Amino acid sequence: MNIRRLADHLNISIGTVSRALNNRPGVHPETLEKVLKAATELGYVANQSGRSLRRGATNTIGFVIETGHPAHQAGDQFFYVVLDAMNLYLAEQRYDLVVLPCHSADDPVEFLSRVIARGIVDALVMTATRRVDHRIAQLAKSKLPFMTLGRSETPGNYSWIDLDFEGVARRSVQEVVKLGHRRIAVGLPDNDVALGYHYKAGYLKGLAEAGIAVDESLIIRVPTSEVGGFSLGKQVAGMADQPTALLLCSEVTAAGVYAAFGETGVEAGRDISIVAFRENPLMRFLNPAPACFRLDLDALGTRLGETVLDLLSPDEEISRRRGEIVPLSFVPGKSLQPPRAGS
Amino acid sequence: MNIRRLADHLNISIGTVSRALNNRPGVHPETLEKVLKAATELGYVANQSGRSLRRGATNTIGFVIETGHPAHQAGDQFFYVVLDAMNLYLAEQRYDLVVLPCHSADDPVEFLSRVIARGIVDALVMTATRRVDHRIAQLAKSKLPFMTLGRSETPGNYSWIDLDFEGVARRSVQEVVKLGHRRIAVGLPDNDVALGYHYKAGYLKGLAEAGIAVDESLIIRVPTSEVGGFSLGKQVAGMADQPTALLLCSEVTAAGVYAAFGETGVEAGRDISIVAFRENPLMRFLNPAPACFRLDLDALGTRLGETVLDLLSPDEEISRRRGEIVPLSFVPGKSLQPPRAGS
DNA sequence: ACAACTTTCGTAAACGTTTACGAGTCGACC
DNA sequence: GGTCGACTCGTAAACGTTTACGAAAGTTGT
């Protein structure tokens, strides 16, 4: 079923049919209705290849994920919920969403080259943004509009949305300091993901505000995963001069930390206060419940959709690239206690 | 950069260029090399819309996920790893993979209609297959080749790959029976997902083989999620005539069950033996480690890729639709102990 | 030297849309 | 009645490919 068959069936020209379906002006209300009716009856939907070829646009947004990269995939529904909300918004705006999984073993630059050249999407949402990110330079050179989830230090004309990792870290320090902690450890990712730098910056700022000297031995880098968290927990538990608080920039590491504590007899809250990153369903099963930060994933997904479609707006003002930082709200937890008298 | 510009640059016709790039026969080796060289130099990649329009094929496989549905998303990397492997295989065969998230609130049939009509993919891999699945009837009616991950009872000409839920359940029963258990409970999903039926079938078969009568009160349906598992754990812990073993057909429920046990003083292994479903990294952090089943996700992803591409083969024999059941191997765990003398 | 065949390449049509352009009809107004 | 504009629609070109077909050139065989 193509537009010609539909037009023949109605005894009108394909031009009129096309105009009707795209509700362009200048088509008689009566014919408009006839066309729409026949289209739904015959189940006609415009072929995407023909349409994109002619219009030079595909009405599709690409969401690029790194399938081998553990940081953004581990252990919860972050992406599913965000995708869900984003997809919903895009569908309202008559856009389609495709997820483009970039294999971890692949060269991401080569992967993007293909995506760009094939002209399969009108714009891209990038994830797992690195502090220096070659993909950004590449996309900036191409003319494909894009945005990133997570900012980067690589310059380029693009929009971004980032979680307020710095604010979260700073607030975490404030909360533990308020309870009397002075020896505050932090677990950071061991790779170049941008969030690690912002989290560390907030941590340092918090310490400075509290007049606490930085102890490099309390800044510990581990993979962002349960296993990484386990290693982190073991390390902390085994330190001679144990910290009294531990801040985490990822929720999946929290599970590992708790497991390691369980094996070493350290008790979260009593021995070491814990502040995890994002609140998620899994945390209901950690005992004592870790203090953490709440993020509205639905709102984030919608905002991603809005931002990426803004890039495509013909209105110069709207399509201008901009950055946005999403705040998170503090959620208290039993893992947060004053340091023991002995410490 | 389109094929015309490339041809002009080489002073040959676009026909020859196209033939060279798709290595069709009948092009001089020398020109072939020139074309290939110029193409990489100028970064030419064929526009997908033009190509699909002409060929009627997109060289793209769609992977449909349900974003609102908890069963196939909760709490681990199942999909990421499978996607990764599948993507790798497809890339080797010069196919692209796109993930098509179907919003939970959307009508899946309408969603598929769009996908089909727009002609955006050459074949589909469906997930979260239901026992009676309207999508299958719809796809069977359309001419789009497809396969499902998880079989369905809805008839239709399609291939499927399913995990051996029945075998796992049966083996689980055998393992606990071997230790002396007779009162064996099972947690099943509370919706129409096909796996629930197969798991139950295996459970019943296992009981029959052991000569154990079925007790309907031991067949408990809960949502496939941590929260559902929590509820399941509470229910079991609160039963007057407590079962001595509990079989689970989803790993995410295991976390919830353990949490509920923790709150109610029931100890896995000592009070109730547990057999979880799929081994995953999260389980390292459940204590005592649950017995479970090992699945090679990489192999599964590759197999999905092979199977879906087979559908597209011109060879009648290869493209014939077929079903395949993937076995899982038993992994012992400390959650599995003989029943206490008292019971 | 000519026919017949092979190798290589150019030409043009086709895929299904959208849209610029022009043609036709109708009513209003002078 | 003729001019003008508004409204509606049909025609055809264009998007970038692939491929059937035929042409040109070269090769072989007689």
Side-chain angles (χ1 to χ4, degrees):
Chain A
M1 172 54 60
N2 55 20
I3 200 172
R4 162 133 289 128
R5 292 252 297 278
L6 181 57
D8 288 352
H9 176 260
L10 288 166
N11 271 330
I12 56 182
S13 79
I14 62 171
T16 308
V17 172
S18 177
R19 273 187 293 267
L21 292 172
N22 299 16
N23 54 346
R24 289 265 176 288
V27 34
H28 194 86
E30 202 173 299
T31 25
L32 175 66
E33 198 187 359
K34 274 201 302 193
V35 172
L36 260 39
K37 185 153 161 286
T40 57
E41 271 175 6
L42 302 182
Y44 171 78
V45 177
N47 174 283
Q48 189 57 38
S49 301
R51 161 179 282 218
S52 342
L53 182 55
R54 168 64 218 223
R55 300 219 302 197
T58 60
N59 260 257
T60 302
I61 303 297
F63 190 88
V64 177
I65 60 174
E66 273 193 33
T67 38
H69 189 61
H72 272 282
Q73 73 182 235
D76 83 327
Q77 310 154 326
F78 182 87
F79 269 129
Y80 283 97
V81 178
V82 170
L83 268 181
D84 207 23
M86 185 170 159
N87 196 19
L88 180 64
Y89 176 80
L90 290 178
E92 281 169 7
Q93 314 297 319
R94 321 250 70 196
Y95 270 82
D96 288 294
L97 175 66
V98 301
V99 181
L100 304 170
C102 175
H103 191 278
S104 45
D106 265 5
D107 179 12
V109 170
E110 199 176 331
F111 174 82
L112 280 181
S113 289
R114 271 184 66 78
V115 172
I116 295 167
R118 297 184 353 133
I120 196 180
V121 294
D122 294 345
L124 284 179
V125 179
M126 309 293 300
T127 62
T129 311
R130 308 301 169 86
R131 201 166 62 112
V132 311
D133 203 318
H134 299 302
R135 306 174 303 173
I136 290 179
Q138 179 191 16
L139 284 167
K141 215 182 305 173
S142 87
K143 286 304 166 208
L144 190 65
F146 72 102
M147 67 168 298
T148 62
L149 176 54
R151 78 205 108 139
S152 164
E153 288 175 13
T154 304
N157 185 31
Y158 62 97
S159 290
W160 52 264
I161 291 185
D162 203 358
L163 308 187
D164 187 13
F165 286 95
E166 183 173 331
V168 162
R170 191 173 153 209
R171 175 71 184 273
S172 299
V173 173
Q174 290 170 352
E175 290 293 334
V176 296
V177 165
K178 201 190 294 176
L179 290 172
H181 295 270
R182 307 287 295 175
R183 235 179 121 58
I184 305 165
V186 61
L188 294 175
D190 64 344
N191 60 14
D192 196 35
V193 161
L195 67 90
Y197 292 85
H198 298 126
Y199 196 88
K200 183 176 175 184
Y203 168 74
L204 296 179
K205 191 176 286 184
L207 289 189
E209 285 170 353
I212 301 175
V214 177
D215 180 347
E216 287 292 339
S217 73
L218 295 183
I219 301 175
I220 305 171
R221 297 188 174 274
V222 290
T224 308
S225 64
E226 284 97 346
V227 177
F230 190 79
S231 155
L232 173 61
K234 287 276 189 182
Q235 281 183 56
V236 169
M239 287 174 74
D241 191 5
Q242 218 173 62
T244 65
L246 174 59
L247 314 184
L248 302 171
C249 64
S250 149
E251 53 273 18
V252 291
T253 53
V257 167
Y258 270 68
F261 281 5
E263 287 194 8
T264 51
V266 175
E267 189 177 305
R270 190 193 61 181
D271 301 319
I272 300 183
S273 284
I274 302 266
V275 185
F277 183 62
R278 194 176 66 76
E279 182 190 37
N280 75 1
L282 208 85
M283 285 185 177
R284 289 192 44 178
F285 308 108
L286 295 183
N287 203 342
C292 53
F293 292 84
R294 184 167 298 163
L295 172 66
D296 186 343
L297 294 181
D298 257 327
L300 176 61
T302 306
R303 198 73 196 94
L304 281 173
E306 289 170 352
T307 307
V308 73
L309 286 196
D310 278 353
L311 299 177
L312 274 66
S313 167
D315 184 334
E316 194 73 31
E317 172 57 29
I318 295 178
S319 70
R320 212 185 43 212
R321 313 306 162 92
R322 42 175 69 89
E324 184 177 339
I325 295 181
V326 179
L328 290 86
S329 58
F330 180 69
V331 179
K334 296 221 179 86
S335 69
L336 209 50
Q337 306 287 344
R340 285 203 294 179
S343 310
Chain B
M1 171 55 60
N2 54 18
I3 201 173
R4 163 131 290 127
R5 292 250 297 277
L6 182 57
D8 289 353
H9 176 261
L10 287 166
N11 271 330
I12 56 180
S13 80
I14 62 171
T16 309
V17 173
S18 177
R19 274 188 293 268
L21 292 173
N22 299 13
N23 52 346
R24 289 267 175 287
V27 35
H28 195 86
E30 201 173 299
T31 28
L32 175 66
E33 197 187 358
K34 274 200 303 192
V35 172
L36 260 38
K37 185 153 161 284
T40 57
E41 271 175 7
L42 301 182
Y44 170 79
V45 177
N47 174 283
Q48 190 57 39
S49 302
R51 160 179 284 218
S52 340
L53 182 55
R54 168 64 219 221
R55 300 219 302 197
T58 61
N59 259 255
T60 303
I61 303 298
F63 190 87
V64 177
I65 60 173
E66 273 193 32
T67 39
H69 188 61
H72 271 282
Q73 73 182 241
D76 84 326
Q77 310 154 325
F78 182 87
F79 269 130
Y80 283 97
V81 178
V82 170
L83 268 181
D84 207 22
M86 184 170 160
N87 196 19
L88 179 64
Y89 176 79
L90 291 178
E92 279 169 9
Q93 314 296 320
R94 319 250 71 198
Y95 270 82
D96 288 294
L97 174 67
V98 301
V99 181
L100 303 171
C102 176
H103 190 279
S104 43
D106 266 3
D107 178 13
V109 171
E110 198 177 331
F111 174 82
L112 280 181
S113 289
R114 272 184 65 77
V115 172
I116 295 166
R118 297 182 355 131
I120 195 181
V121 293
D122 294 345
L124 284 179
V125 179
M126 310 292 301
T127 62
T129 310
R130 307 301 169 86
R131 202 168 59 114
V132 312
D133 203 318
H134 300 300
R135 307 173 302 173
I136 289 178
Q138 179 191 16
L139 284 167
K141 215 182 305 173
S142 86
K143 286 304 165 208
L144 190 65
F146 72 102
M147 66 169 296
T148 62
L149 176 54
R151 78 204 109 141
S152 165
E153 289 176 13
T154 304
N157 185 30
Y158 61 96
S159 290
W160 52 264
I161 291 184
D162 202 359
L163 308 188
D164 186 13
F165 286 96
E166 182 173 332
V168 162
R170 189 170 155 215
R171 176 71 184 271
S172 298
V173 173
Q174 290 170 350
E175 291 293 332
V176 296
V177 165
K178 201 189 299 176
L179 290 172
H181 294 269
R182 307 284 297 174
R183 234 180 121 57
I184 305 164
V186 61
L188 293 175
D190 64 345
N191 59 15
D192 197 36
V193 161
L195 66 91
Y197 291 86
H198 298 124
Y199 196 88
K200 183 177 176 185
Y203 168 75
L204 295 179
K205 190 175 289 185
L207 288 190
E209 286 170 352
I212 302 176
V214 178
D215 180 347
E216 287 292 339
S217 73
L218 296 182
I219 301 175
I220 306 170
R221 298 189 173 273
V222 290
T224 308
S225 63
E226 285 96 346
V227 177
F230 190 80
S231 156
L232 174 61
K234 286 275 191 183
Q235 282 183 55
V236 169
M239 288 175 74
D241 192 6
Q242 217 173 65
T244 65
L246 174 60
L247 314 184
L248 301 171
C249 64
S250 148
E251 54 273 19
V252 292
T253 52
V257 166
Y258 270 68
F261 281 5
E263 286 194 8
T264 51
V266 174
E267 189 177 304
R270 190 195 60 183
D271 301 318
I272 300 184
S273 284
I274 300 266
V275 186
F277 183 63
R278 194 177 65 78
E279 182 189 39
N280 75 0
L282 209 85
M283 286 186 177
R284 289 192 43 176
F285 307 109
L286 294 182
N287 204 342
C292 53
F293 292 83
R294 185 167 299 164
L295 172 66
D296 186 343
L297 293 181
D298 256 327
L300 176 60
T302 305
R303 199 71 197 96
L304 281 172
E306 288 170 354
T307 307
V308 73
L309 286 196
D310 277 353
L311 300 177
L312 272 48
S313 167
D315 184 335
E316 195 73 30
E317 172 57 29
I318 294 179
S319 71
R320 211 186 42 215
R321 314 304 162 92
R322 40 175 69 90
E324 183 177 339
I325 294 181
V326 179
L328 289 85
S329 57
F330 180 68
V331 180
K334 296 221 179 89
S335 68
L336 210 49
Q337 306 287 344
R340 283 203 295 176
S343 310

